[in-house]
Amino acid sequence: MKINKEHNLFQLSIGSEILLEHTPEQPMLYVGHGKESLEMYRGNFKIEDYLEERQPLDLIEVKQEGKIYTLTFNQAITLTITIDNTSIVLNFGGDLDQFNRFWFRLRADAEEKCYGGGEQMSYFNLRGRHFPIWTSEPGVGRDKKSHITWQADVTGMAGGDYYNSNFPQPSFISTKRYYVHVNSTAYSDLDFRNEDFHEVHVWQIPSSIRIEFANDYPTLLERLTAYLGRQPLIPSWIHDGLILGLQGGSDRVLPIMQRVLDLGVPIAAIWCQDWSGRRVTSFGKRIHWDWIANDAMYPDLKKLVKRLNDQGIRFMNYLNPYLVKDGKLYQEAKDLGYFATKHDGSEYLVDFGEFDCGVIDFTNPKAHQWFKEIIQKYTIDLGISGWMADFGEYLPVDDIKLHSGNSAMIEHNHWPTLWAKCNFDAVSERDKWDEIFYFMRAGGSGVQGYCPMLWAGDQSVDFSLHDGIATVITGALSAGMSGFGISHSDIGGYTSLFENIRTKELYLRWVEMSAFSPLMRTHEGNRPDTNFQFYDDEESILATARMVKIYRDLKPYIRQLIEDNSTKGLPVQRPLFLHYDHDAHTYDLQYQYLLGADMIVAPVYLSQHYRVDLYLPEDEWVHLWSGTEMTPGHMSCQAPMGYPAVFYRKSSAFASLFAKIGKNYGGVAP
Amino acid sequence: MKINKEHNLFQLSIGSEILLEHTPEQPMLYVGHGKESLEMYRGNFKIEDYLEERQPLDLIEVKQEGKIYTLTFNQAITLTITIDNTSIVLNFGGDLDQFNRFWFRLRADAEEKCYGGGEQMSYFNLRGRHFPIWTSEPGVGRDKKSHITWQADVTGMAGGDYYNSNFPQPSFISTKRYYVHVNSTAYSDLDFRNEDFHEVHVWQIPSSIRIEFANDYPTLLERLTAYLGRQPLIPSWIHDGLILGLQGGSDRVLPIMQRVLDLGVPIAAIWCQDWSGRRVTSFGKRIHWDWIANDAMYPDLKKLVKRLNDQGIRFMNYLNPYLVKDGKLYQEAKDLGYFATKHDGSEYLVDFGEFDCGVIDFTNPKAHQWFKEIIQKYTIDLGISGWMADFGEYLPVDDIKLHSGNSAMIEHNHWPTLWAKCNFDAVSERDKWDEIFYFMRAGGSGVQGYCPMLWAGDQSVDFSLHDGIATVITGALSAGMSGFGISHSDIGGYTSLFENIRTKELYLRWVEMSAFSPLMRTHEGNRPDTNFQFYDDEESILATARMVKIYRDLKPYIRQLIEDNSTKGLPVQRPLFLHYDHDAHTYDLQYQYLLGADMIVAPVYLSQHYRVDLYLPEDEWVHLWSGTEMTPGHMSCQAPMGYPAVFYRKSSAFASLFAKIGKNYGGVAP
């Protein structure tokens, strides 16, 4: 690192390139005032900002003391830059609250690419676009040019756009081999639209901004996750089979499970999201948000769990941090004062889609404690092995009073992490990490250390690029570049609206992709009755059985990847450039990935496609299904149903395992 | 007016209310820098601004010399405020080009309403919204929630929004009885979203801002039009009948005209837009943009015009300021160097929808002269009595070089006025204002003095609030508040896309509304063959005959209104508050209007509606169709087909004329 400074100039270079620069002509920092307006409807936000003032800060003086530089700006704002061999930490001082808008620029060049921003579903390389950071529903369709997005927008503000995410995060990694993380949960925006700089916009002056460097991406991710946290290790039973998503009560669930078992599908767990009861809305079949087992639907659940466990099958359920007004727990929480309220102290209810709920106030340590005990008492103590820890994105910002006294504008993006922590404490206190895991869709900075597994949220049941199966790949890769390296998805997708219906083709493509991911879990979707269900179709059950067996056979390999993620922050699914950083072609691939270092997977993400275009970097790659040794480069690979394009490295320590899988389940040329 | 000033404070009050105020806490002026990006597709613009800097100006010193106050701000910017009894003129001095963004605030209060902004089609009262000022296609549907807008956006960026207008203008009048006009043709934005101030945003520091006051609205409009200009008086033959829009060449046009005549429709003129030839595109039947009569379609047009004139029927045609590349005039203009070019001097073509055209460079006096002579030679000298002077909104801004050296960002909004001036000079030089008139859809500041008549542009052929028949009323009222007081529309609407087809009901409602407007003109629309044409339906021809006769009978009254508009800037169609300013109810009416001072018209603007809700202010109103004397107030009035809700003032000097019309054509109770 090289520093160049004068009284009104500061430049920090890495090698020959300037990264931080403040000159009178090229200011590094801007501050100002804005008046935001936010409208929320069922987790979808319409956000507008009226920018009243934005001015560059003028550098008045630079002082140095060893590796610490203190920059004094006008407006009585100071910036302390602390430098060591691999990091730069920027801390702001002075009367920071006098401004509510902040911009920070890093010098960039045209060829540079950036990744991360949390879990981004539409675009992996962030350059050329901006990404508002505000956790929300991801939106239906997520493409303003699509008819489904238009319909969702018109009927419920729910269409979304390319940047909407359950798990956005103000951090990114650059191909200049650094990461930036902004220490703020305020609304922010990562702006990569400019050729010669990146701009980070935050609706407060952040307490700090952290930059770290490394010579290679694995080390860079190790540093990022050392800072943000790493995922608790998920139990090993998940590799033993499918997590079968079923609803409708024991009477419906058990016979279907038996049919699926009988046709040879290894089952690790059944996951019954309606364990606490069912609620039918116009959106589809939903759940009674009162986190106690429903005896009518699942009589004597504890016994059922025990019986299943004896068969080697786990039972999983569903939780989220809201309580429905007509449930039993609502009254208890209300009496205890554990809900967020209006500023006048009166009841604050949020509409979740034809039913209203209270919001547990996790900024109140007692509320956190109480909800953790609810999880322990009504879920863990029944012998349940895990759950979907849903939602976390709905903290409203208008007229809501939190126990901490913090503004909801600051706590909104923080909420998913608070929710994760509640689950984390529930499991940790019971010392059950060998047995229990949960998975979340919502996230934000710090969720990394409190959540063992992500799932990719509510895809539409289709092949659309912005909301279908393809987004699962992009989402996993970008989450990995944001310190969250383990993810999976609802096999078959979730959201079926406006005549958009899951097909058998979609299901089969999804299940074959999921075999090459850390976890396999099916979901019946929001409208089970009108969408394709694999358990209704013998051919699909058999195809599922085959893919789950492949997944199970991969256990030794996948297990190592999951451990590497938990110990080193090395994602299970990785962009190719992570290990082939000298190959420029690898930086633009968002629909194929490295599964660990030794396997390349290029799933079929478009309908009626039976070949996949892909790229193999320079190495000795072997086609999984035929054992063919490949010539690296761009190619088109055959991919009939059941045979996604998968390759392994000939020199892998697991090569014989892969070869055996290829022999047992293969027979298709590349 | 009262002034309060200190070294860093300036307040100008009207009566007890502050209008202009600069204090350190409430700055009046902001300046800054932005980087715009504009994309144009067939006259529709996608405009984004990256606002890099915005800072309030600090007032350093206020000097007074008589009625002139000089305010010195930081950044070496001065503001000279010249005050007389009824006006305030703000002039800016200093190095104005150092900034490309500018904001100016006027104090406001919550109850205040504002009108104008040029011709606004969706909203008459501008409060609560902002209105970008950039002349463009108005957009199809103009409502992001409508399916037609979504389709138009997706297929061609053409959907538009509530503020899109062919004729936007940075001026407005306030219910505090002042007008503001910004002297700049740069991109600007009138922002009425704030309760306690209005904000005018301009992409340059404007040369001046003008504010004038009056005690009443008619006087205020008189002052506004004394400044902006007033419309040349249209010839009186237009009142003698319908201007019948027909296409397809003499062989088709003349027989249809004869049928319409035979069934009793008074015809003032036929208007043949395809006089220069036809061009069929996927949008519909369009025109060969080469402004010479097409002999194949209209053989010996001069003789035809003469023959028609002898029958008392005028002939009208169509012109616009572009020349199609495959036409005869294109080569001539190109050889003369009269087109705008790229910066390197090479050919600049604009796509107008499947055909490319050159843009006559009106900043070149010789090009202006040449095009004026084209109009004279090929149109006026054929004996033609008028034309649609179409377009003017398409000046592109990327890589375009103008003769004046001015930036296209400055000339874009100026273009409609330059185009109007060319027509104006062509007619004035021939001294033909008694005989000739033309009508435009595009406009901007200054067009008022150079164009005799507006038309409301390309409505969709439907009853939609944002793009159908209703917008004609709002458009006429807002244009009137912007100094343009005479407008009409395509009877039946124009744009038929995506299965949206003109119905007989729509045509009949439109023709009955137009009888109570300054001019009646039909249009076959963009897809004549698939849309309803009144001349195909005897019942509709007869209904048209009846309405045209009513229009013709109103001539003495309407004529006076048109003269009042040309001499005093008093619009022909007026909002009710213009004459009933003490009645608070009159300020929120955008679908009914005063036709002059003596008639109130409330057209049916919704489908399948046979009653209209309306408001009659305190006065003696008589229902036109029945002679019933009305009780003022809110009411619902019967409006069967052919009988829009119309009332006249009992004390009108024209009361006997109105009564006679009511007797001759009436017979329906209110």
Side-chain angles (χ1 to χ4, degrees), chain A residues 589-608:
Chain A
L589 307 169
Q590 77 171 49
Y591 297 125
Q592 67 177 84
Y593 57 92
L594 279 161
L595 183 66
D598 294 349
M599 196 168 246
I600 285 178
V601 184
V604 175
Y605 57 92
L606 297 171
S607 181
Q608 304 289 323

Side-chain angles (χ1 to χ4, degrees), chain B residues 142-210:
Chain B
R142 308 178 69 259
D143 174 4
K144 296 300 185 201
K145 294 200 166 174
S146 76
H147 192 232
I148 202 169
T149 297
W150 176 76
Q151 284 174 286
D153 274 339
V154 168
T155 57
M157 222 172 100
D161 212 334
Y162 69 89
Y163 54 79
N164 289 111
S165 171
N166 304 103
F167 174 13
Q169 182 175 293
S171 70
F172 64 91
I173 72 160
S174 156
T175 48
K176 292 189 169 179
R177 290 171 179 68
Y178 66 82
Y179 79 75
V180 177
H181 181 264
V182 180
N183 228 325
S184 169
T185 56
Y187 178 95
S188 57
D189 191 72
L190 302 177
D191 190 346
F192 301 100
R193 284 174 291 192
N194 297 283
E195 276 213 349
D196 53 344
F197 61 89
H198 312 312
E199 189 167 85
V200 174
H201 177 37
V202 192
W203 285 6
Q204 68 173 177
I205 300 186
S207 59
S208 68
I209 295 173
R210 185 179 184 85

Side-chain angles (χ1 to χ4, degrees), chain A residues 328 619 626:
Chain A
K328 293 173 208 147
D619 216 324
S626 64

Side-chain angles (χ1 to χ4, degrees), chain B residues 361-655:
Chain B
D361 183 356
F362 288 124
T363 72
N364 179 351
K366 286 184 182 168
H368 172 98
Q369 168 85 4
W370 177 80
F371 204 77
K372 179 196 71 192
E373 288 167 6
I374 294 293
I375 297 175
Q376 292 170 334
K377 182 172 167 190
Y378 295 111
T379 288
I380 296 179
D381 294 351
L382 291 189
I384 288 170
S385 297
W387 54 89
M388 173 182 276
D390 204 6
F391 287 95
E393 312 87 349
Y394 279 53
L395 185 71
V397 294
D398 58 321
D399 191 22
I400 198 161
K401 188 177 155 191
L402 298 175
H403 181 268
S404 65
N406 280 355
S407 154
M409 286 299 297
I410 294 297
E411 290 296 345
H412 176 86
N413 277 343
H414 190 210
W415 219 251
T417 300
L418 293 177
W419 167 223
K421 177 78 161 52
C422 188
N423 291 275
F424 180 85
D425 289 348
V427 177
S428 297
E429 273 187 21
R430 286 287 194 269
D431 196 16
K432 285 277 194 187
W433 286 110
D434 280 355
E435 175 58 31
I436 290 179
F437 85 110
Y438 47 88
F439 47 100
M440 291 178 63
R441 63 173 199 175
S445 304
V447 79
Q448 288 83 355
Y450 296 124
C451 177
M453 169 66 96
L454 213 59
W455 105 93
D458 301 347
Q459 276 69 41
S460 278
V461 289
D462 59 31
F463 289 96
S464 65
L465 284 186
H466 291 283
D467 198 31
I469 183 171
T471 66
V472 170
I473 309 168
T474 312
L477 294 182
S478 59
M481 297 299 106
S482 307
F484 210 115
I486 178 162
S487 183
H488 77 293
S489 63
D490 295 339
I491 295 175
Y494 173 74
T495 303
S496 167
L497 286 176
F498 315 117
E499 282 91 58
N500 191 27
I501 303 289
R502 179 198 288 170
T503 60
K504 180 173 172 178
E505 181 197 14
L506 180 73
Y507 171 81
L508 290 174
R509 286 308 193 184
W510 214 305
V511 79
E512 73 187 36
M513 175 178 80
S514 298
F516 299 93
S517 85
L519 188 144
M520 294 185 80
R521 178 180 54 82
T522 58
H523 197 309
E524 294 177 306
N526 63 317
R527 292 178 176 169
D529 301 340
T530 50
N531 278 269
F532 177 81
Q533 304 298 348
F534 84 100
Y535 51 68
D536 291 335
D537 176 69
E538 189 169 312
E539 187 185 36
S540 298
I541 300 176
L542 295 173
T544 302
R546 175 172 165 272
M547 295 318 300
V548 175
K549 285 172 186 163
I550 292 170
Y551 166 74
R552 194 182 55 181
D553 290 353
L554 281 168
K555 177 170 179 172
Y557 179 61
I558 301 275
R559 193 68 201 163
Q560 186 203 299
L561 304 184
I562 291 174
E563 285 171 11
D564 286 349
N565 178 60
S566 284
T567 54
K568 293 186 280 189
L570 209 51
V572 177
Q573 290 166 271
R574 306 170 192 168
L576 271 66
F577 67 77
L578 211 69
H579 295 301
Y580 298 91
D581 61 347
H582 293 297
D583 182 344
H585 296 299
T586 63
Y587 288 86
D588 293 318
L589 307 169
Q590 76 170 51
Y591 298 124
Q592 67 176 86
Y593 57 92
L594 279 161
L595 183 66
D598 295 349
M599 197 168 245
I600 284 178
V601 184
V604 175
Y605 58 92
L606 296 171
S607 181
Q608 306 289 325
H609 276 57
Y610 304 99
R611 301 193 72 83
V612 188
D613 292 326
L614 60 93
Y615 178 76
L616 293 179
E618 197 64 48
D619 216 325
E620 292 180 308
W621 294 106
V622 181
H623 182 241
L624 179 67
W625 310 114
S626 63
T628 311
E629 295 192 23
M630 309 299 295
T631 307
H634 291 283
M635 72 186 60
S636 161
C637 178
Q638 223 189 142
M641 301 303 291
Y643 299 89
V646 179
F647 309 87
Y648 62 89
R649 235 159 33 86
K650 196 177 169 184
S651 59
S652 169
F654 294 88

Side-chain angles (χ1 to χ4, degrees), chain A residues 512-517 546-547 550 554 557 592-595 598-604 612 614 616 621-628 630 635 637-640 642-649 658 661-662 668-670:
Chain A
E512 74 188 35
M513 175 179 81
S514 298
F516 300 93
S517 86
R546 175 172 164 272
M547 296 318 300
I550 292 170
L554 281 167
Y557 179 62
Q592 67 177 84
Y593 57 92
L594 279 161
L595 183 66
D598 294 349
M599 196 168 246
I600 285 178
V601 184
V604 175
V612 188
L614 60 94
L616 292 180
W621 294 106
V622 180
H623 181 243
L624 179 67
W625 309 114
S626 64
T628 310
M630 309 299 295
M635 73 185 61
C637 179
Q638 226 190 140
Y643 299 89
V646 179
F647 310 86
Y648 61 88
R649 242 165 23 90
F658 301 145
I661 290 172
V668 163

Side-chain angles (χ1 to χ4, degrees), chain A residues 54-67:
Chain A
R54 172 181 169 149
Q55 42 185 291
L57 286 179
D58 293 333
L59 184 56
I60 294 164
E61 190 185 33
V62 183
K63 278 191 191 163
Q64 182 185 356
E65 206 166 322
K67 297 269 187 146

Side-chain angles (χ1 to χ4, degrees), chain A residues 406-438:
Chain A
N406 280 354
S407 155
M409 286 299 297
I410 295 296
E411 291 295 345
H412 176 86
N413 277 343
H414 189 209
W415 219 253
T417 301
L418 294 176
W419 167 222
K421 178 78 162 50
C422 188
N423 290 276
F424 180 86
D425 289 348
V427 178
S428 298
E429 274 186 19
R430 285 286 193 269
D431 196 16
K432 285 277 193 185
W433 286 110
D434 280 354
E435 175 56 31
I436 290 178
F437 85 109
Y438 48 88

Side-chain angles (χ1 to χ4, degrees), chain A residues 61-126:
Chain A
E61 190 185 33
V62 183
K63 278 191 191 163
Q64 182 185 356
E65 206 166 322
K67 297 269 187 146
I68 299 175
Y69 295 82
T70 303
L71 282 63
T72 304
F73 291 92
N74 63 332
Q75 307 285 357
I77 286 174
T78 59
L79 166 59
T80 309
I81 304 181
T82 307
I83 294 172
D84 79 9
N85 289 335
T86 63
S87 72
I88 305 168
V89 178
L90 291 80
N91 286 288
F92 296 91
D95 179 9
L96 306 183
D97 293 338
Q98 65 180 308
F99 298 103
N100 66 8
R101 295 293 181 271
F102 167 87
W103 297 261
F104 166 63
R105 288 183 179 180
L106 296 112
R107 306 311 307 168
D109 62 48
E111 291 70 38
E112 191 178 347
K113 296 172 203 282
C114 296
Y115 306 93
E119 185 191 31
Q120 292 294 337
M121 315 308 284
S122 282
Y123 299 106
F124 183 40
N125 176 12
L126 309 173

